[in-house]
Amino acid sequence: ILEYIEDKWPHPPLLPKTPAERARVRMIEDVMDTQYEPNNWGTFEVLRYRRASGELADKLLASSKGNIEQLQAWLDRELGNRPWFNGDAFGWGDLSVIPYLNRSAGYGYLAPKGSKLLAWFERVNQRDSVAKVKAQMQAALEKMPDLGQMLKSGQVVRQYRDHRLEWMIASGGISI
């Protein structure tokens, strides 16, 4: 989607100017999509679908939390002294990070106090566009039916693929 938007409406640009910074921002997007996202997804599986309970649930949630903490430390280093992941302007990098961090925050997984990442998180959530999307997602979550009961009754079926399946296995959920 971001590629299409960048091509269709190149002004203002979503990507930074230099090839190295463009590559860095695309790497951030890839890490968020393939490494960060499965941890949020796994937490959702445990908390909303109730795919595990007791010791296994604790193990899966601890795996998500630990991975998210490591990835947030990496994001803090990637942000560095830049005001935005894109550099001087909000853009592609920021759009690639904020949905995942907002979801993690909903689980109580926030960047450490005093970190550059937490300051960025607070700043980016003040943007009108981000605040609107965040409010829409929260409203959708609040209206969501009892997914655990729907799964138990057979109304929904869970399927795992690629990075999510890898996360479930690596985190100890092979029995699921």
Side-chain angles (χ1 to χ4, degrees):
I1 294 170
L2 291 174
E3 291 280 355
Y4 174 80
I5 292 170
E6 181 75 350
D7 289 344
K8 179 88 173 158
W9 299 285
H11 301 289
L14 290 177
L15 285 167
K17 292 179 184 177
T18 69
E21 283 298 298
R22 293 165 77 93
R24 187 185 67 78
V25 164
R26 285 186 170 116
M27 178 191 64
I28 291 169
E29 177 189 20
D30 185 61
V31 168
M32 297 308 292
D33 290 346
T34 63
Q35 303 300 310
Y36 198 107
E37 187 276 340
N39 295 286
N40 279 337
W41 169 84
T43 301
F44 190 83
E45 286 290 302
V46 172
L47 297 178
R48 295 301 293 257
Y49 276 102
R50 297 187 301 275
R51 298 289 285 159
S53 60
E55 196 174 306
L56 179 56
D58 292 344
K59 182 178 182 177
L60 295 172
L61 292 173
S63 177
S64 286
K65 185 175 188 292
N67 290 339
I68 286 171
E69 286 171 352
Q70 288 179 15
L71 288 161
Q72 287 182 353
W74 175 78
L75 286 167
D76 193 67
R77 291 188 302 272
E78 282 299 316
L79 183 60
N81 291 321
R82 300 172 187 87
W84 304 104
F85 279 98
N86 256 44
D88 292 332
F90 177 86
W92 189 300
D94 308 284
L95 291 166
S96 298
V97 174
I98 193 56
Y100 298 113
L101 263 64
N102 273 335
R103 190 160 179 197
S104 292
Y107 300 134
Y109 305 153
L110 285 170
K113 289 183 180 181
S115 68
K116 293 173 188 174
L117 184 61
L118 184 59
W120 169 88
F121 175 79
E122 292 168 349
R123 187 171 57 255
V124 77
N125 271 298
Q126 291 176 9
R127 293 180 60 87
D128 188 49
S129 59
V130 174
K132 284 179 183 177
V133 171
K134 183 179 175 184
Q136 290 170 348
M137 180 54 98
Q138 186 59 40
L141 286 171
E142 289 169 4
K143 292 177 186 174
M144 197 168 280
D146 184 336
L147 298 174
Q149 184 57 39
M150 290 178 74
L151 181 68
K152 187 176 180 181
S153 70
Q155 290 177 281
V156 296
V157 176
R158 301 304 293 143
Q159 294 180 336
Y160 303 115
R161 57 176 176 52
D162 50 56
H163 61 287
R164 291 176 174 178
L165 178 60
E166 291 171 13
W167 177 90
M168 186 63 80
I169 293 169
S171 296
I174 189 77
S175 62
I176 294 175

